[in-house]
Amino acid sequence: MNHNVYNKVLGLVRWFLPFYLFALLPSKSIAQSWTADNGNGTFTNPLFYDEFSDPDILRVGDDYYLAGTTMHTVPGLVILHSKDLVNWENISYCFDRFDFADDAFSLKNHQEIYGQGVWAPAIRYANGQFYVFTNINGKGLQCYTSKDIRGPWQHHNMQGRIYDLSVLFDDDGKIYAIHGYGEVKCTELKPDMSGPIEETERTIIPEGNAVGEGHHMYKIDGMYYLISTDYMPNGRTLCSRSKSIWGPYETITITADETFGYHAAPLTQVPQNEPYRIGHDGTKFGIPDVDKDATACTNIHQGGIVEDQSGQWWALLMMDFHSIGRTVTLAPITWKEGWPMLGLEGNLGRAPRTWLKPAINADVKPHAAYERNEDFNGKSLGRVWQWNHNPDDSKWSLKNGRLRLQSMPAEQLMWARNSLTQRVVGPVSVATVELYTKGMKDGDVAGLGNINVPCSWMGIVKDGQQTILRCFEQATNDTIDTSVTTDKLWLRMVGDYDHDSAHYEYSLDGEHYQQMGRQMPLSYQLISFQGSRHALFAFNHKGKNGGYAEFDNFRVEEPMADRSGNIPYGKTVRIINLATGKAMFAQFHGLVYDTEATDVSQQSRFRVIDKGQGRVILQCEDGRYIFCAGYGLAGDVRLTTDEQKAEVFLWQDYLNHEFMLMSMRTHKYIGKSPTTGSPYSMDYVGADPARRNGAVLRWEE
């Protein structure tokens, strides 16, 4: 990594972290992208640290496929492939462009489909081919079919009013669509995918049964199981089951409150009593503070389940994950009295952030789902890129190893056609691109932006013969300008997406960068239903077709992606409880309690002993080991001189030296109440959204 890049990222991280944590960060980072695979037989959620909404999972033989929402961006209807459920690769989109003539699909004439387009797909395999079903707003139910998962795909416009659906190919050859919120309906589909059989629609779960939306229907051992999600009053995942597709169904909650210790993102608030338009003056809406203790819809919810080759079942659910958007998590399922409960025996309903990889005989090296970097030297764009609405293909090209965007009229970024986008990646990342401006004309604007609501960007504005470097932030409706004379510069967005914050920088030599504009708050929002997205753009704000801008060497640096040193194996550390602010302490009396954070005595120092596959035991520097005596809340966390009695924990990495310790015996977590004065116990089911219930710890060497 460029040393200047690294220093800037660490500067951002330092902004949010206490100094003593900053001092513990490594002096250099391996250039790689986030992967859930820890390389030791375990994985850590999320599977991707970037947006992938409404996941639906399918297994065909030894192959797994994941389909997800792409809303208004194209190519659309993304499909990922995996051999082990942990490492994924983007292998297909169902279509390159929306094939509807409406101006809204192409950002023409001030019409748009933000927050619409493709959402909540269902992927299935039957009759020797793949099916992907999805709704497209205003167009009804759509189906894409192919005998090869990589395409080409055939489009079937089935119309009708079926959305947020699941599809079941039943044993008798009938095809059912399950859909609706609260009142769940089932409609039979025509085998040729020409549409629904309208007269077959029936309500299978009446309103009033606490069932939500985002349905995923399965037939397992003759029983029908419907996985759905509800968001009132907060997010929960439910399962309904019946011996008949038509019901009656009984319903229970199979997971709730599993946020992995992340609170909800700020939600952009739109003006009341006023029709919302993407082009609003940003001062008319705000990004309010959030209740960090509330679950809201941050918990894992909507998604599908799948059985692996060993017979173990897994859930792949999404969670609203700060300004990144919605991400995918992988959780083990434990069958309990015929119900697919998320989590592990002894702690059902919750899920470990770190757990053992599926027992699948697949030789897969850890890798990211996408190649984010792009030099634009090829004949086509990398799979990670998507256009914001349908592009005008006559107005862009890959030319001489650069991306050329010709400017078209637009009043601001969100109306700019031919904006090329890719999702931001967390928890911290730096996106840099080279911009060439020699071909720009009067009124042209080009640069690097964040397509979100509110949006922002940094770039060059041509005003007559003047060249202006501008940073624009819609949230404050503010611009910062400076004059430049160069026709080449480097633009950069530095984001700490776990903390919903970012800023822009520029360089005239590719080495020395200067911040422009403030540290901006970021949000998630239910207007476009997407998180932050990098955008390469060119438009003309004077209402005419202008010149062109060229882009090269788009690079994304992820200084926290390398987690190989996050568990302090073999080190002697002090362990601070985030809720109490006090250090863990081994009493002579035999209990684990706490002491002041400044205590550096032998009894507040613990060695982390590696037991393989992310498992550890803790030994106090006085020679004693931590173990649990008893059950539940009454189970004291005590000390013993017998290493064979030591409690084996699976380390739950929360980054930034924060972690939890899950007992491999009970599947509960060690923790200490911040209010009762009780000693440590082994009865915590997990972290709360604000990480202040006493289960989340921090280590310092």
Side-chain angles (χ1 to χ4, degrees), residues 173 290 324 341 385 397 468 510 585 616 647:
V290 298
I324 288 171
M341 300 296 299
W385 293 106
S397 62
I468 301 168
F585 186 77
V616 301
E647 199 79 27

Side-chain angles (χ1 to χ4, degrees), residues 186-190 195-203 246:
C186 180
T187 305
E188 193 175 340
L189 302 179
K190 296 176 182 177
I197 305 175
E198 299 288 357
E199 62 273 17
T200 64
E201 183 175 297
R202 288 167 53 183
T203 295
W246 305 109

Side-chain angles (χ1 to χ4, degrees), residues 457-698:
W457 55 264
M458 170 183 263
I460 292 296
V461 179
K462 284 287 189 177
D463 187 8
Q465 298 300 311
Q466 190 176 13
T467 300
I468 301 168
L469 176 63
R470 174 170 294 170
C471 184
F472 170 74
E473 185 184 353
Q474 188 185 23
T476 54
N477 199 34
D478 192 26
T479 59
I480 298 175
D481 289 351
T482 186
S483 294
V484 294
T485 57
T486 182
D487 58 8
K488 175 186 177 181
L489 70 162
W490 288 257
L491 304 177
R492 169 177 292 171
M493 181 174 171
V494 181
D496 184 335
Y497 301 104
D498 267 9
H499 294 91
D500 302 310
S501 179
H503 69 259
Y504 289 103
E505 298 177 355
Y506 71 95
S507 173
L508 301 179
D509 60 9
E511 290 293 330
H512 303 90
Y513 284 82
Q514 181 174 334
Q515 181 172 335
M516 192 172 187
R518 67 167 181 158
Q519 193 74 25
M520 302 174 294
L522 302 176
S523 73
Y524 181 63
Q525 36 75 36
L526 304 181
I527 300 163
S528 70
F529 278 91
Q530 287 188 327
S532 297
R533 296 177 75 91
H534 297 305
L536 307 181
F537 67 89
F539 64 91
N540 188 286
H541 75 100
K542 294 187 177 180
K544 56 188 178 183
N545 289 319
Y548 63 85
E550 292 185 321
F551 300 84
D552 201 1
N553 296 321
F554 183 88
R555 294 288 181 266
V556 179
E557 302 284 356
E558 301 177 51
M560 297 178 71
D562 174 29
R563 306 191 304 282
S564 59
N566 285 17
I567 304 178
Y569 293 125
K571 294 181 179 180
T572 298
V573 301
R574 294 193 321 129
I575 298 174
I576 311 297
N577 191 300
L578 290 191
T580 67
K582 294 185 175 182
M584 186 179 288
F585 186 77
Q587 291 184 322
F588 290 122
H589 183 54
L591 291 175
V592 177
Y593 198 58
D594 58 18
T595 186
E596 295 304 318
T598 55
D599 188 288
V600 292
S601 66
Q602 186 181 53
Q603 291 164 267
S604 67
R605 299 199 294 265
F606 297 86
R607 189 160 65 97
V608 180
I609 300 174
D610 183 6
K611 288 295 181 179
Q613 289 191 301
R615 297 171 299 174
V616 301
I617 62 175
L618 296 181
Q619 183 184 28
C620 181
E621 200 171 54
D622 67 11
R624 295 177 295 168
Y625 299 89
I626 287 180
F627 81 109
C628 182
Y631 304 95
L633 187 61
D636 289 339
V637 178
R638 298 185 183 176
L639 295 130
T640 177
T641 57
D642 184 356
E643 183 176 349
Q644 297 303 313
K645 286 186 177 181
E647 199 79 27
V648 178
F649 298 103
L650 186 66
W651 190 283
Q652 308 286 303
D653 181 24
Y654 275 65
L655 311 177
N656 301 325
H657 288 206
E658 295 182 8
F659 66 102
M660 291 200 304
L661 294 171
M662 185 183 76
S663 168
M664 291 297 290
R665 179 174 55 86
T666 68
H667 302 136
K668 295 282 186 70
Y669 300 88
I670 188 173
K672 185 185 185 303
S673 168
T675 57
T676 65
S678 300
Y680 274 87
S681 68
M682 202 84 69
D683 195 47
Y684 285 73
V685 296
D688 65 348
R691 303 187 191 180
R692 48 192 176 205
N693 66 333
V696 183
L697 312 169
R698 187 185 73 244

